[in-house]
Amino acid sequence: MGQTARVSANEWIAWTAAVSLAAWLWLLLCQGFFWRTDVRLPPRADPGRWPSVAVVVPARDEAAVLPASLPSLLAQDYPGRAEVLLVDDGSSDGTGELARSLARRHGGLPLTVVSPGGEPPAGWTGKLWAVRHGIARARAGEPEYLLLTDADIAHAPDSLRTLVAAAHAGGFDVVSQMARLRVAGLWERLVVPAFVYFFAQLYPFRWIARQGRRTAAAAGGCVLIRTRTAERARIPDSVRHAVIDDVAVARAVKRGGGRIWLGLAEGVTSVRPYPRLGDLWRMVSRSAYAQLRHSPLLLAGTVLGLTVVYLVPPLALVAGLGLGLPAAAVPGGLAWLVMTGTYVPMLRYYRQPLWLAPLLPFTAFLYLLMTVDSAVQHYRGRGAAWKGRTYARPDAVTDEG
């Protein structure tokens, strides 16, 4: 009996390792080459006439990061007409006044600080309510494009110029760049590159730009969108309850027949620090369960998938070597090798040491725990929390019209 049980356990380990290896071979070859980091802005072709642009920056208690980000927007070297509208969303740290002070000190593009006044109505997230107020104010100047960017994002001097030129040359309705996030401390090194790696795995950048593909995503820190496209897709009203607003905006645009481009940035960077694991944990867990549409079934599938794809390979290798079971050790080791190899380009993009690549299973385990914690917080009634606001599941929210 014990012999039969041991044989069954060994067969189960070997079978699971084989499934994991098959999954990694499929991801390597059939998931839009998500692991490559060469999707960058298309070659620039300057338009004959530079269109007008309104830059909308929602900001809530951002005084700590504004000195490193806002001057970069004001200093944009853009040949056309452009303005910056910072929406001070009920800040308690002097964000609005600091923004005005920075504008007086640095000059550059004209800055207007506005406020939506009061809390967002039911069914709206705070950021999208602020964006709505900023877009409404911007429309008075009839801009042809809107640049939606976060208060913690710094832009190279030619950022706006290259975004508009890429949209013009490629005929894109949305051009978005995944900002290069800050990576300094140990936890940032372990978690941040993997965050972008996992995002690209879910939304392969090459598929997003391809017409006929349903895959749609954007990076909320840097989204250039044609004003008429935003109006046609009823943005942000049609996605007003979305916690993951960038993906929701991209889906709304693509449903309406719009073209989207998303890639990794060179001159767009986040200045927000996440020095402690708790900071990164909150960043991920606040929206992880929303990404799964608050579905227990999708949560269970995600936990199972992360386990089989990321945790099984090293476990199968160790177990196979310990039990003298090549049928588990070989596929487990090969799967871990493929996983490690696909992570190397992202580490290079972030200029991080390559010894971090084999640690991806540990990082994936952290993400698994963050996702489960996100669900636990949701069922405790805390929902997605950010900047002192908590958003519950939008069961009662429906699109109008």
Side-chain angles (χ1 to χ4, degrees), residues 231-234 237-240 255 397-401:
E231 292 171 349
R232 187 168 59 245
R234 297 175 50 247
D237 296 60
S238 62
V239 297
R240 60 190 178 275
R255 278 198 305 267
V397 177
T398 57
D399 290 341
E400 299 172 358

Side-chain angles (χ1 to χ4, degrees), residues 189-212:
R189 289 190 170 93
L190 281 171
V191 175
V192 168
F195 177 82
V196 182
Y197 173 89
F198 294 145
F199 185 94
Q201 191 177 83
L202 286 173
Y203 307 103
F205 295 164
R206 283 174 172 76
W207 288 358
I208 291 169
R210 194 175 301 169
Q211 288 184 295

Side-chain angles (χ1 to χ4, degrees), residues 52-88:
S52 57
V53 183
V55 182
V56 178
V57 186
R60 178 175 171 85
D61 292 335
E62 298 287 12
V65 296
L66 274 187
S69 60
L70 185 58
S72 73
L73 280 175
L74 301 175
Q76 286 301 296
D77 176 22
Y78 186 67
R81 179 168 60 87
E83 63 173 333
V84 179
L85 294 104
L86 184 136
V87 186
D88 183 9

Side-chain angles (χ1 to χ4, degrees), residues 36-43 177 180 205 261-266 345 348-349:
R36 293 178 58 173
T37 56
D38 56 350
V39 181
R40 310 295 172 89
L41 276 178
Q177 288 189 288
R180 195 189 295 266
F205 295 164
W261 184 93
L262 171 64
L264 295 173
E266 289 294 344
R348 284 180 173 159
Y349 169 73

Side-chain angles (χ1 to χ4, degrees), residues 152-399:
D152 65 332
I153 302 297
H155 292 256
D158 65 345
S159 178
L160 185 55
R161 179 197 288 258
T162 57
L163 287 166
V164 172
H168 172 80
F172 295 108
D173 298 283
V174 171
V175 173
S176 179
Q177 288 189 288
M178 177 73 71
R180 195 189 295 266
L181 304 176
R182 179 184 182 271
V183 176
L186 173 63
W187 288 113
E188 288 173 330
R189 289 190 170 93
L190 281 171
V191 175
V192 168
F195 177 82
V196 182
Y197 173 89
F198 294 145
F199 185 94
Q201 191 177 83
L202 286 173
Y203 307 103
F205 295 164
R206 283 174 172 76
W207 288 358
I208 291 169
R210 194 175 301 169
Q211 288 184 295
R213 277 276 184 182
R214 296 182 60 185
T215 307
C222 177
V223 178
L224 181 80
I225 182 170
R226 295 180 191 270
T227 304
R228 67 172 182 266
T229 299
E231 292 171 349
R232 187 168 59 245
R234 297 175 50 247
I235 292 170
D237 296 60
S238 62
V239 297
R240 60 190 178 275
H241 57 277
V243 175
I244 309 174
D245 52 89
D246 42 14
V247 174
V249 165
R251 286 173 176 166
V253 169
K254 209 158 194 181
R255 278 198 305 267
R259 295 189 61 203
I260 302 171
W261 184 93
L262 171 64
L264 295 173
E266 289 294 344
V268 180
T269 58
S270 172
V271 298
R272 191 184 303 283
Y274 293 97
R276 296 176 294 275
L277 177 59
D279 302 317
L280 291 158
W281 194 288
R282 284 186 292 274
M283 178 190 75
V284 175
S285 66
R286 72 185 179 91
S287 60
Y289 199 41
Q291 178 74 50
L292 301 177
R293 292 176 286 182
H294 304 100
S295 166
L297 186 61
L298 287 178
L299 175 65
T302 298
V303 170
L304 178 62
L306 286 172
T307 300
V308 171
V309 173
Y310 288 98
L311 305 188
V312 163
L315 294 176
L317 175 61
V318 172
L321 292 175
L323 296 172
L325 189 63
V330 171
L334 288 174
W336 196 0
L337 184 63
V338 174
M339 180 199 316
T340 299
T342 62
Y343 192 37
V344 165
M346 189 61 69
L347 289 174
R348 284 180 173 159
Y349 169 73
Y350 271 98
R351 306 183 184 97
Q352 295 303 305
L354 300 188
W355 59 261
L356 290 168
L359 301 182
L360 187 57
F362 172 73
T363 304
F365 180 62
L366 288 178
Y367 273 87
L368 185 155
L369 295 178
M370 293 173 191
T371 303
V372 171
D373 180 60
S374 180
V376 169
Q377 297 306 318
H378 169 77
Y379 288 112
R380 286 181 175 175
R382 297 175 186 175
W386 187 247
K387 299 284 184 178
R389 289 176 176 146
T390 300
Y391 304 108
R393 177 177 178 173
D395 290 315
V397 177
T398 57
D399 290 341

